[in-house]
């Protein structure tokens, strides 16, 4: 059984607006069998959407001038953080 990732033992390895980068990070983690969790935040619709979730959260303000209305964040267990970041940086530098 894999490590359980909770709010208390996780670290963020990606936080951004690019769906392509978000998917690249997830693919890198999957290929290297590193468990992860992710969250998405839809600024346009003011909702927090995690996997199989949809809890409304008021953000206020007008976010339509941003290039993307989605913010993606990927978390790994803190014990896997260094390896995950090394793999992600290596892949992103190669392009």
């Amino acid at each position: 059984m894999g490590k359980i990732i909770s709010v208390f033992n996780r670290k963020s390895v990606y936080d951004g607006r690019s769906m392509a980068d978000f998917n690249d990070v997830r693919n890198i983690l999957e290929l290297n069998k590193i468990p992860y969790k992710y969250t998405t935040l839809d600024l346009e619709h003011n909702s927090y959407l995690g996997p199989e979730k949809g809890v409304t959260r008021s953000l206020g303000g007008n976010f339509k001038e941003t290039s993307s209305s989605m913010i993606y964040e990927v978390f790994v267990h803190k014990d896997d953080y260094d390896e995950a970041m090394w793999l992600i940086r290596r892949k992103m530098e190669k392009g």
Side-chain angles (χ1 to χ4, degrees), residues 23-59:
N23 286 326
D24 286 346
V25 166
R26 292 175 54 217
N27 288 336
I28 292 165
L29 297 173
E30 287 178 12
L31 286 171
N32 291 280
K33 299 184 181 358
I34 297 175
Y36 67 91
K37 287 192 174 186
Y38 66 89
T39 60
T40 59
L41 178 64
D42 184 344
L43 300 175
E44 189 172 316
H45 294 100
N46 295 336
S47 65
Y48 169 82
L49 303 173
E52 302 175 20
K53 295 181 187 175
V55 179
T56 302
R57 180 166 84 180
S58 175
L59 296 172

Side-chain angles (χ1 to χ4, degrees), residues 2-88:
K3 297 175 185 170
I4 296 174
I5 301 170
S6 74
V7 178
F8 305 106
N9 66 12
R10 70 184 187 184
K11 289 184 88 168
S12 178
V13 293
Y14 178 76
D15 182 3
R17 293 179 182 230
S18 168
M19 180 182 271
D21 288 347
F22 169 67
N23 286 326
D24 286 346
V25 166
R26 292 175 54 217
N27 288 336
I28 292 165
L29 297 173
E30 287 178 12
L31 286 171
N32 291 280
K33 299 184 181 358
I34 297 175
Y36 67 91
K37 287 192 174 186
Y38 66 89
T39 60
T40 59
L41 178 64
D42 184 344
L43 300 175
E44 189 172 316
H45 294 100
N46 295 336
S47 65
Y48 169 82
L49 303 173
E52 302 175 20
K53 295 181 187 175
V55 179
T56 302
R57 180 166 84 180
S58 175
L59 296 172
N62 183 354
F63 295 98
K64 292 190 179 180
E65 59 275 350
T66 60
S67 60
S68 170
S69 66
M70 297 296 290
I71 297 177
Y72 307 95
E73 189 164 16
V74 180
F75 302 96
V76 298
H77 191 280
K78 65 183 180 181
D79 294 344
D80 295 326
Y81 177 79
D82 291 335
E83 179 184 6
M85 288 304 296
W86 184 81
L87 291 164
I88 292 165

